[in-house]
């Protein structure tokens, strides 16, 4: 009776921690989200780079490089790619004020109860998968990525894991004042010089028949 209970318990636990063809069955933070057969088969593991896997935060699923700055309130893609393909993936975070939503070849990971995560929808070979992340407050967000290549008796267990931080910053809401047009000083009309009336008195003496006649004229 005890043996039967232990066997049943072992089967139940294995179902809980084994990777599922329709999504991850675990949501460990800070370590690979694998268990069960992953740990009982001959195992190949390491960092994402060891498995030829790239994970990065980009502005759209077609971008190949990360933006220089991640802004609070903006949605970004967490994209995972491998040229030779992979079967399973879990992207998760437990950062507060952060939302992680389904994206390329992923669905919400229902096993992530105390964190947020997205995972694969099937065990088909795929070369990319990703989720959509958005932060509502500035700060550092740690993102964990577990990628499963194989998990069977014939090929063994092969999975890779890495965690990396990204920084979200608040947008600059400081308004730059509009430049003030340069004021043109009012032109000061040239002041008229003091009126100088130059009076020239012209005295013309005309001798007519011995009579001196005086003509006085003024010129300004």
């Amino acid at each position: 009776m005890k043996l039967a209970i232990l066997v049943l318990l072992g089967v139940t636990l294995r179902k809980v921690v084994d990777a599922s063809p329709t999504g991850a069955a675990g949501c460990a933070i800070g370590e690979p989200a694998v268990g069960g057969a992953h740990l009982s088969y001959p195992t190949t593991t390491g960092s994402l780079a060891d498995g030829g896997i790239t994970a990065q935060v980009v502005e759209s699923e077609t971008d190949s490089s990360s933006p220089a700055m991640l802004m609070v309130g903006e949605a970004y893609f967490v994209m995972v790619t491998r040229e030779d393909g992979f079967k399973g993936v879990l992207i998760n975070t437990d950062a507060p004020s952060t939302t992680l939503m389904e994206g390329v070849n992923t669905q919400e990971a229902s096993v992530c109860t105390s964190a947020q995560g997205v995972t694969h929808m099937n065990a088909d070979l795929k070369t990319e998968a990703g989720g959509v992340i958005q932060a509502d407050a500035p700060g550092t967000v740690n993102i964990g990525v577990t990628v499963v290549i194989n998990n069977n008796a014939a090929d063994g267990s092969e999975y890779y894991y890495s965690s990396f931080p990204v920084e979200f910053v608040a947008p600059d809401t400081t308004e730059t004042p509009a430049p003030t047009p340069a004021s043109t000083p009012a032109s000061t009309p040239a002041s008229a010089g003091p009126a100088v009336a130059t009076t020239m008195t012209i005295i013309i003496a005309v001798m007519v028949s011995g009579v001196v006649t005086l003509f006085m004229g003024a010129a300004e």
Side-chain angles (χ1 to χ4, degrees):
M1 183 66 176
K2 290 183 178 180
L3 180 59
I5 293 174
L6 289 175
V7 170
L8 180 60
L9 180 60
V11 171
T12 302
L13 289 175
R14 180 164 177 163
K15 285 183 178 178
V16 170
V17 297
D18 266 358
S20 167
T22 57
C27 190
I29 296 294
E31 61 184 56
V34 297
H38 281 288
L39 306 180
S40 59
Y41 294 143
T43 301
T44 301
T45 188
S47 68
L48 296 182
D50 293 332
I53 302 162
T54 300
Q56 59 183 344
V57 178
V58 293
E59 292 184 341
S60 75
E61 57 189 88
T62 58
D63 286 346
S64 58
S65 59
S66 299
M69 191 175 298
L70 302 181
M71 307 302 295
V72 168
E74 297 289 333
Y76 299 93
F77 281 83
V78 184
M79 292 300 299
V80 179
T81 58
R82 183 176 188 260
E83 186 176 349
D84 294 333
F86 55 91
K87 296 180 178 178
V89 64
L90 175 71
I91 305 169
N92 63 359
T93 182
D94 62 351
S97 302
T98 302
T99 303
L100 187 56
M101 301 164 283
E102 62 188 50
V104 181
N105 293 326
T106 60
Q107 62 184 337
E108 180 184 349
S110 58
V111 294
C112 295
T113 55
S114 60
Q116 298 187 65
V118 295
T119 185
H120 55 281
M121 298 182 289
N122 54 57
D124 295 343
L125 196 64
K126 54 190 73 67
T127 58
E128 65 175 4
V132 178
I133 192 169
Q134 181 175 324
D136 298 326
T140 302
V141 174
N142 288 306
I143 301 173
V145 179
T146 302
V147 175
V148 174
I149 310 300
N150 291 304
N151 183 34
N152 56 64
D155 301 315
S157 171
E158 183 178 0
Y159 64 89
Y160 301 94
Y161 171 82
S162 287
S163 176
F164 59 95
V166 293
E167 188 76 19
F168 282 88
V169 298
D172 185 4
T173 57
T174 304
E175 295 186 4
T176 303
T180 304
S183 56
T184 303
S187 57
T188 304
S191 58
V196 178
T198 303
T199 303
M200 294 180 64
T201 302
I202 303 173
I203 304 176
I204 302 175
V206 179
M207 296 290 295
V208 179
S209 302
V211 178
V212 177
T213 304
L214 294 181
F215 295 92
M216 299 185 68
E220 293 184 356

